[in-house]
Amino acid sequence: MNPLDAFRLDGRVAFVSGGGGAIGAALAEAMAAAGASIVAADLDEGRAGETAERVRAAGGQAISFGADITREADAERVVAGAIDRFGRLDIVVNAVGGGAGRVLFEAQDYPRDAWDWIMELNLRSTLIGTQAAARAMIRAGNGGRVINISSVRALLGINAGYSAYVAAKGAISSLTRQWATEWAKHGITVNAISPTFVDTPQVASLLADPEFTANLVNRVPLRRVGQTDDLVGAVIFFASDASSFVTGQILGIDGGLTATQ
Ligand SMILES: NC(=O)c1ccc[n+]([C@@H]2O[C@H](COP(=O)([O-])OP(=O)(O)OC[C@H]3O[C@@H](n4cnc5c(N)ncnc54)[C@H](OP(=O)(O)O)[C@@H]3O)[C@@H](O)[C@H]2O)c1
């Protein structure tokens, strides 16, 4: 057998929450290229549809949903739609999140409304998307793959008003280990990627500041920020049979940043 065959996703069905976002769309298209059928769900129905359209234009299979993945009924509707169209669900990638740079407050005064918003966007979306997918995977009895998106901010403080974001990402890393432990008996593996800055619209205004980018890049041993393509290899690995004996792991995709701290 060709060892690269273990990385193929043919016949698998992947629910990408935030599938209209920069990272979610890139991961959906990459998994489709590896053979998976894609179910893209996003608050922005149009952008989820564009992702699905690009997958189909490249010869893959995809459907899309407008959905608020912090709401259980919406997440259940997407999972039911996936099973209705493709007959199964094998993979969930939780790519809803971010927002840190939009609500910067000193830690001692961090306001509750901003805290709740960041927690909803990052932590609750990951919880609700995963619960809906995991229930379907457990019912079907075929195992599955959960892939979360944490951040280097789960490990490293930052001299900016990021209290809620670091708490949310820290919780996502902890839940990755907890779910891995609980759901191993169902054959469901749970892993996370943990990127540093990825060049996406969410962080474009920060990266446009040459001083900010120079400071950032100088702390990264590989001397650059991430690109969405940098996340693809790890996600295909975690989604595929190549990672059958890997669960509860959080892989830094950070150019060596966390290795230096
Ligand atoms: N970009 C980075 O530098 C970086 C670094 C480390 C980790 N990450 C993480 O990677 C993930 C994806 O980031 P990204 O840069 O791809 O962000 P993005 O482009 O904003 O993608 C997130 C997508 O999720 C959608 N969304 C928001 N709330 C939702 C909800 N309740 N239900 C369904 N969809 C919802 C957003 O729609 P709207 O735009 O309409 O709100 C957007 O399309 C986040 O968890 C982020 O924290 C990013």
Side-chain angles (χ1 to χ4, degrees):
M1 176 187 150
N2 181 338
L4 288 180
D5 290 349
F7 290 84
R8 293 287 313 175
L9 300 175
D10 305 284
R12 311 278 166 87
V13 178
F15 162 24
V16 184
S17 146
I23 290 174
L27 297 178
E29 289 177 63
M31 288 191 291
S37 300
I38 301 300
V39 179
D42 202 284
L43 209 50
D44 188 323
E45 187 170 5
R47 281 212 304 266
E50 286 166 22
T51 300
E53 190 48 51
R54 283 196 299 277
V55 167
R56 289 192 293 266
Q61 297 199 80
I63 57 174
S64 60
F65 292 88
D68 177 349
I69 301 299
T70 64
R71 294 168 49 147
E72 201 170 317
D74 278 25
E76 284 292 344
R77 177 169 54 83
V78 173
V79 167
I83 291 167
D84 190 44
R85 170 66 178 81
F86 296 119
R88 55 189 294 145
L89 179 66
D90 304 284
I91 300 159
V92 59
V93 176
N94 292 299
V96 171
R102 289 165 59 184
V103 281
L104 297 173
F105 298 99
E106 297 279 326
Q108 66 277 17
D109 293 321
Y110 205 95
R112 184 167 180 171
D113 55 348
W115 178 275
D116 289 347
W117 178 64
I118 290 286
M119 285 292 171
E120 287 282 307
L121 178 63
N122 289 275
L123 185 54
R124 191 170 304 280
S125 66
T126 298
L127 173 68
I128 299 296
T130 301
Q131 284 181 318
R135 282 192 290 264
M137 290 169 184
I138 291 166
R139 271 196 307 273
N142 298 319
R145 297 279 189 268
V146 177
I147 301 166
N148 294 325
I149 306 189
S150 187
S151 162
V152 294
R153 297 275 80 85
L155 290 174
L156 305 175
I158 182 170
N159 191 17
Y162 269 44
S163 291
Y165 188 73
V166 301
K169 292 301 187 183
I172 288 171
S173 291
S174 292
L175 279 174
T176 299
R177 290 183 284 264
Q178 177 62 23
W179 291 338
T181 309
E182 275 196 56
W183 293 336
K185 62 177 178 289
H186 299 296
I188 299 172
T189 68
V190 187
N191 294 287
I193 57 170
S194 181
T196 183
F197 275 87
V198 182
D199 186 4
T200 58
Q202 271 223 26
V203 298
S205 60
L206 285 173
L207 295 179
D209 174 351
E211 198 182 322
F212 177 90
T213 299
N215 268 333
L216 174 68
V217 164
N218 280 336
R219 287 185 288 119
V220 175
L222 289 175
R223 290 286 183 267
R224 64 175 178 84
V225 297
Q227 301 295 328
T228 53
D229 281 353
D230 291 315
L231 311 180
V232 163
V235 169
I236 298 283
F237 172 64
F238 285 143
S240 69
D241 288 345
S243 65
S244 293
F245 199 48
V246 178
T247 195
Q249 301 305 305
I250 296 147
L251 182 61
I253 304 184
D254 61 8
L257 174 66
T258 48
T260 68
Q261 306 295 308

